Amino acid sequence: MCGIVGYIGTQQAAPLIVSGLKRLEYRGYDSAGVCIISDSGLRIEKKAGRVAALEKFVDIDSLSGTVGVGHTRWATHGLPNDVNAHPHTDQSGSIALVHNGIIENYVTIKKKLLNAGYTFRSETDSEVLAVFIGMLYDQLNDVELAVRTALSEVEGTFGLVVVSTHEPDMIIAARRGSPLILGIGNGEYLVASDAAAVIAHTRQVVYLNENEMAILRRDGFTTKTIENVKTRSVVEEVSFELEQIEKGGFEHFMLKEIFEQPTTFHDGFRGRLQIEEGTVRLGGLTSVVDKLRAAKRIIITACGTSWHAALVGEYLIEHLARVPVEVEYASEFRYRNPIINSDDIVIAISQSGETADTLAAIREAQLKGATVLGMVNVVGSTIARETDAGVYLHAGPEIGVASTKAFTSQLCVLTQFALYLGRMRALSAEQGREIARELALIPEHIRTILRGADEVRRIAHEYSSVSNFLYLGRGFNFPAALEGALKLKEISYIHAEGYPAAEMKHGPIALIDDNMPVIFIAPKDEIYEKVLTNIQEVRARSGKVIAIADEEDEYIASIANHVIRIPRTLPMLTPILASIPLQLLAYYIAVERGCNVDMPRNLAKSVTVE
Ligand code: M6R
C-alpha cells in the first residue's frame, strides 16, 4: 500500500527520495509525489500513476534541497488523481505531510475547519490532517507541538512524515498502526515505511514503536511518545541484502521468488529440524512451552494466502498433535466477539507482519487473555513485535505482490510447529523422524519440479485465453487448490475458484463444459481413488483436466488431458509440492496475457487498511 520516504542530510534529497520510492513500488500504489524544502519554500510535485510518470512530468534533479519527503499513494479517500496524491499542505503552504493509514474522524475535524473558514483542495483525509496541523501551528507557533496536538486528537492510523519551512532543518515522523523505520546514516537520516527504501544507504535502522514519534535533524534524532515522554530507541541491523530486493536476471520478481524456493524452504528449517530426534527446535517458542503443552485449542487467524496456509496448518496440527484447530479470517475474527479461553493459543500468520485485519485480530485475542504467537516473514514488523512469541519464516524479502515463497515457507514452519507439538504429545520418535526426513528432502523435490517449468509454460500457453478455471483438491490439498485459484485470479484476472474436489457435484459441476479447464491435485494418498472418480465426472462432461500427480502414476495420464508431475512425498507435504506448478501456471498465463505480474491492478503487497 502507500509508501513513505523522507530524507534530511547533505545530499540532494529529491533523487534519493525518488529512488527510495521506486524500491517501494512493489507495495502497490496509484500516484506519487515529492516535497522538497527549497530556498524559495516548499516545492511540491505530484502525479497520478507510477513514479515514472512523476519523473516524466518533472525533472527530479531540478528539485534542489537537502530535506524532503516522498510518497506513493494507494487510494482510499478520493480518486487516484494528481490533486489527491501526497504530499498535502496546510492552508499557508508552509507545512507538508505524507500519510499512510486512515484518519477515521476526518469528517468531524474537516467540519470544524470548514466552519473556521479553511478550504480544501483534495478529497483526502490526509489533507484534513495537514490543514489541522497548520491551524494548530498558527495558535501554538511550534511545529512539533502542533503535530503532537493534532495527533492526540485524531482517531485512526498513521505513519506520518511532516516537513515545514518554519523549521527547515527538521523532519518529524510519527506512527500509530502503520510502520515507520528510521535509517541512521552519518550526518543524514532517512525515514521510510519499509526497510527496502533505506537499505541502499544504510543498514542501521530504528523501528518506531506504536504511538512514537521521531524528530530528525542533521546532527541527531530524538524519539518520544506522542504524549511527549522521551523514549529510548534501539538501533538494529537490517537482516537482508540489497540483491535480495533486486530481480537478479529474472524477468519478474515473482518468477525469481518461485525459483528461490529450494533455498527459502531450506532456510525455514535450517537449524530447527532435528532429524535424529524426530523433532524440531523452535527457539522463538521457548517462553511459551508450558502454554503449548497445556493448550486445549488453537485458533489460527490470517488473510489471503496466509489464510490458505493456516488451513493446511489446521490439517497438520490436528493430524500430528491431535489438538483441535479453528481457522478464522482475521477480518471476521476481529469483529465477531470470538469466544477465547485463557488456555487457547492464537496464531497469526502473515508475510508482511503489517496486515491491518490480522493485527486487529491479535489485539482482540490478547485482550481476551489468549497466548498469541506469530508466524511472520518480515523481521521487526508490527505483528512480530506485538505477539507473545513466534517463529520467523526466513523467506527473505518477498517483492512480488502475489505471495509465493512466503506461502511455502509458511507451510514449512507450520509443519515443524505441528511436529513440535505432536512430539510433546502422542507422536513417537519414529513417526517424528520419518516426517523430519521427508521435510528435509523437500528443497530437492522443489528443484525437480522447477526443472519441469517449460512443460507448465506449454500448458499455460494452451489455456491463456480461457475465462474460467476450477481448482480441485482434497484433504491437505484442498487449501492448495484455493491458493492455486487465488494466484491465477490475482495476476491474470481470470476468474478461478477452488473447491474440495468432492464438492464439485454439489454445484460447480454445472459450469463444466468443453471450455472449462479443471485442475486436479491428485497425489497418491488415501483419497486418490475418490479424486479419480471426480476426474471421470469432469471428463464425462467434456471438461479439460490438468492433473498434478505423482511421478510414477501412469494411470492418470490415460484420463487427464495434461499431467504435471511432482515427486513422491508424505501426503501431508504434498500441498508444498503441488503449489509450485500452480504458481508457475499462474505466472506463465499472466505473462501470456500481458499482465503486470509483479504489480497486479488494484492489489497491494501489504494491506494496512481495513
Ligand atoms: O502479509 P500477509 O501475509 O498478512 O498478507 C495477507 C494477504 O493480503 C496476502 O496473502 C494476499 O492475499 C496476497 N496478495 C496473496 O498473494
Side-chain angles (χ1 to χ4, degrees):
M1 293 205 138
C2 307
I4 288 179
V5 185
Y7 176 80
I8 180 165
T10 50
Q11 302 184 57
Q12 286 299 308
L16 207 140
I17 288 169
V18 168
S19 73
L21 290 180
K22 285 183 180 163
R23 298 249 183 231
L24 301 186
E25 288 194 295
Y26 78 97
R27 301 174 67 92
Y29 70 103
D30 38 50
S31 58
V34 288
C35 169
I36 303 298
I37 303 187
S38 72
D39 292 342
S40 54
L42 296 183
R43 174 97 191 264
I44 295 181
E45 302 292 350
K46 43 193 198 170
K47 203 79 199 129
R50 299 279 171 201
V51 177
L54 178 70
E55 286 180 299
K56 216 166 157 193
F57 173 69
V58 60
D59 175 10
I60 297 298
D61 292 331
S62 73
L63 303 176
S64 177
T66 54
V67 180
V69 285
H71 191 258
T72 46
R73 170 178 186 252
W74 188 86
T76 58
H77 296 67
L79 292 173
N81 58 27
D82 296 356
V83 179
N84 289 332
H86 297 214
H88 291 288
T89 63
D90 72 329
Q91 206 81 98
S92 71
S94 52
I95 299 174
L97 66 73
V98 292
H99 166 227
N100 291 355
I102 291 177
I103 305 300
E104 284 165 3
N105 58 341
Y106 84 103
V107 176
T108 319
I109 299 173
K110 190 171 183 175
K111 257 192 206 144
K112 270 198 232 162
L113 292 166
L114 284 168
N115 289 340
Y118 290 88
T119 55
F120 296 87
R121 282 169 284 233
S122 79
E123 305 154 87
T124 65
D125 52 334
S126 309
E127 186 191 11
V128 174
L129 182 55
V131 174
F132 188 33
I133 291 172
M135 185 197 83
L136 290 165
Y137 176 80
D138 291 342
Q139 296 164 5
L140 303 165
N141 204 27
D142 181 325
V143 180
E144 185 201 322
L145 185 57
V147 171
R148 272 198 282 112
T149 310
L151 295 185
S152 61
E153 284 193 36
V154 300
E155 288 161 20
T157 55
F158 50 80
L160 186 82
V161 178
V162 177
V163 292
S164 170
T165 50
H166 301 303
E167 290 266 16
D169 300 313
M170 176 184 82
I171 285 186
I172 298 178
R175 81 161 272 181
R176 181 185 295 155
S178 193
L180 276 184
I181 294 163
L182 312 182
I184 313 297
N186 198 359
E188 58 179 3
Y189 295 95
L190 287 114
V191 51
S193 50
D194 184 323
V198 308
I199 188 170
H201 306 282
T202 176
R203 302 182 62 79
Q204 308 298 308
V205 296
V206 170
Y207 296 94
L208 276 193
N209 289 313
E210 275 297 271
N211 289 310
E212 202 174 28
M213 60 193 290
I215 321 295
L216 306 154
R217 298 177 194 277
R218 287 185 188 79
D219 59 357
F221 72 98
T222 52
T223 54
K224 53 174 74 172
T225 66
I226 287 162
E227 291 76 36
N228 202 22
V229 178
K230 280 233 155 57
T231 53
R232 256 170 49 91
S233 43
V234 185
V235 179
E236 296 176 48
E237 182 145 322
V238 179
S239 59
F240 56 86
E241 303 294 332
L242 192 57
E243 58 264 29
Q244 285 179 272
I245 54 169
E246 291 178 338
K247 282 190 197 151
F250 283 87
E251 199 182 335
H252 295 100
F253 281 110
M254 182 177 175
L255 191 63
K256 176 185 175 226
E257 286 157 7
I258 291 172
F259 274 83
E260 275 174 359
Q261 288 174 108
T263 308
T264 53
F265 196 91
H266 184 253
D267 289 344
F269 67 72
R270 189 157 42 95
R272 291 173 169 164
L273 203 58
Q274 310 293 303
I275 297 182
E276 285 322 308
E277 292 86 48
T279 187
V280 182
R281 207 175 285 150
L282 295 173
L285 300 184
T286 316
S287 61
V288 293
V289 169
D290 292 342
K291 302 250 187 197
L292 288 172
R293 207 166 270 129
K296 298 264 184 324
R297 182 175 66 146
I298 292 174
I299 301 169
I300 315 181
T301 188
C303 304
T305 288
S306 300
W307 184 80
H308 296 152
L311 288 179
V312 181
E314 174 183 15
Y315 282 70
L316 286 165
I317 296 166
E318 293 198 345
H319 184 68
L320 296 180
R322 311 302 299 160
V323 182
V325 179
E326 288 170 28
V327 175
E328 296 255 12
Y329 281 116
S331 53
E332 290 297 310
F333 181 81
R334 61 183 292 191
Y335 283 120
R336 66 175 193 82
N337 194 12
I339 300 166
I340 297 175
N341 306 308
S342 55
D343 49 11
D344 284 340
I345 302 284
V346 173
I347 303 176
I349 304 183
S350 175
Q351 187 288 126
S352 62
E354 301 293 348
T355 303
D357 285 322
T358 312
L359 194 52
I362 65 169
R363 289 178 181 156
E364 180 69 18
Q366 275 167 336
L367 195 75
K368 291 193 151 78
T371 300
V372 180
L373 312 182
M375 291 181 185
V376 171
N377 193 35
V378 177
V379 175
S381 58
T382 310
I383 294 175
R385 286 141 65 88
E386 289 200 11
T387 39
D388 300 311
V391 187
Y392 276 121
L393 306 181
H394 293 319
E398 189 179 65
I399 307 292
V401 163
S403 188
T404 52
K405 62 176 183 171
F407 178 67
T408 47
S409 294
Q410 286 164 346
L411 300 191
C412 179
V413 164
L414 281 161
T415 309
Q416 292 176 88
F417 179 76
L419 175 56
Y420 176 73
L421 216 60
R423 293 286 285 115
M424 281 181 188
R425 293 162 190 247
L427 203 71
S428 72
E430 192 41 48
Q431 289 167 308
R433 263 193 290 278
E434 190 196 0
I435 297 163
R437 265 190 226 115
E438 289 292 332
L439 193 76
L441 293 175
I442 293 290
E444 201 41 52
H445 292 333
I446 298 177
R447 253 179 226 114
T448 306
I449 297 169
L450 291 172
R451 280 196 285 272
D454 280 346
E455 175 54 20
V456 182
R457 194 207 302 249
R458 273 190 289 278
I459 298 171
H461 176 71
E462 200 168 316
Y463 292 94
S464 62
S465 55
V466 303
S467 310
N468 298 288
F469 258 93
L470 262 186
Y471 286 69
L472 303 177
R474 298 187 73 163
F476 290 106
N477 283 302
F478 155 52
L482 294 180
E483 173 58 12
L486 179 68
K487 282 293 83 82
L488 187 71
K489 266 187 279 219
E490 283 187 301
I491 60 169
S492 74
Y493 319 138
I494 293 176
H495 172 243
E497 288 189 60
Y499 273 96
E503 276 294 304
M504 181 185 66
K505 56 188 173 295
H506 298 289
I509 198 163
L511 299 170
I512 294 177
D513 60 17
D514 56 0
N515 285 319
M516 176 65 102
V518 185
I519 297 191
F520 278 93
I521 307 174
K524 277 205 170 165
D525 55 16
E526 58 275 21
I527 37 179
Y528 169 72
E529 305 289 339
K530 308 272 179 208
V531 177
L532 291 186
T533 307
N534 299 137
I535 293 179
Q536 297 288 12
E537 288 160 359
V538 169
R539 290 305 306 260
R541 287 156 185 85
S542 307
K544 300 281 185 302
V545 172
I546 302 167
I548 297 183
D550 284 351
E551 265 160 0
E552 66 267 32
D553 182 352
E554 282 167 18
Y555 173 71
I556 206 156
S558 67
I559 56 167
N561 299 79
H562 308 272
V563 183
I564 301 173
R565 302 290 177 180
I566 56 172
R568 197 80 210 268
T569 184
L570 295 175
M572 71 181 78
L573 303 179
T574 52
I576 303 164
L577 299 186
S579 298
I580 311 293
L582 296 183
Q583 295 167 355
L584 286 169
L585 188 72
Y587 171 79
Y588 288 126
I589 289 179
V591 170
E592 286 257 346
R593 290 165 72 94
C595 299
N596 186 342
V597 174
D598 284 333
M599 284 180 271
R601 68 183 181 206
N602 304 336
L603 292 181
K605 182 64 185 162
S606 151
V607 184
T608 51
V609 296
E610 275 193 59

